Amino acid sequence: MTQGALPQSSAGGPDWTEHKLEQIMDPTRPLCREEIVWMLEYIKKKVAEEDPNLTDLSQPRLLKNFRYFAEIALMLIQRRGGHDMEADRLKCWLYEASFGLHPVKPGRIKRHL
């Protein structure tokens, strides 16, 4: 079983979360379904907590984040396990859905929008 987004135990923490985000966004690593779900949970938790980084984003940017969050969720519902062929595009969608919530190194995500 995967660890939930933003773990509260001593085994997790900010360093663990940053490491997990870096792994998920790494263009050389394949994604698994559990990582995609973890990322959606992470975004949901940040929105529910009203993360200050989100309040700095413009309304059009927030709508763009939501659009990609919804695209990912629908992809998981409609194409069970079919995300392997769209790994590059899916990583780009994850980047867009989580924009503003964590630092991403320049050049790590290819644009496939």
Side-chain angles (χ1 to χ4, degrees):
M1 180 171 281
T2 60
Q3 193 168 3
L6 301 176
Q8 308 233 343
S9 70
S10 60
D15 290 339
W16 184 89
T17 300
E18 288 301 317
H19 178 70
K20 182 77 170 174
L21 290 168
E22 190 66 27
Q23 280 184 327
I24 291 171
M25 293 300 185
D26 183 347
T28 63
R29 267 186 89 253
L31 284 172
C32 67
R33 183 178 176 88
E34 289 79 21
E35 289 175 324
I36 298 166
V37 171
W38 182 91
M39 193 69 176
L40 292 176
E41 288 177 358
Y42 171 79
I43 295 167
K44 182 183 86 168
K45 185 164 182 73
K46 290 291 196 169
V47 170
E49 292 173 347
E50 297 180 17
D51 187 288
N53 292 320
L54 290 173
T55 60
D56 293 339
L57 299 177
S58 68
Q59 184 178 11
R61 179 64 245 189
L62 288 170
L63 289 172
K64 191 172 186 179
N65 283 31
F66 176 74
R67 173 187 166 209
Y68 287 102
F69 182 92
E71 291 282 359
I72 296 163
L74 286 172
M75 186 271 315
L76 285 174
I77 292 167
Q78 295 171 351
R79 298 182 222 145
R80 296 179 188 162
H83 62 271
D84 294 336
M85 296 187 315
E86 303 174 340
D88 288 342
R89 185 168 24 149
L90 184 55
K91 285 204 184 214
C92 190
W93 288 0
L94 286 170
Y95 169 79
E96 293 294 338
S98 63
F99 184 88
L101 291 176
H102 61 87
V104 175
K105 295 178 183 174
R108 293 291 304 250
I109 304 296
K110 299 176 194 173
R111 295 286 184 194
H112 292 287
L113 305 177

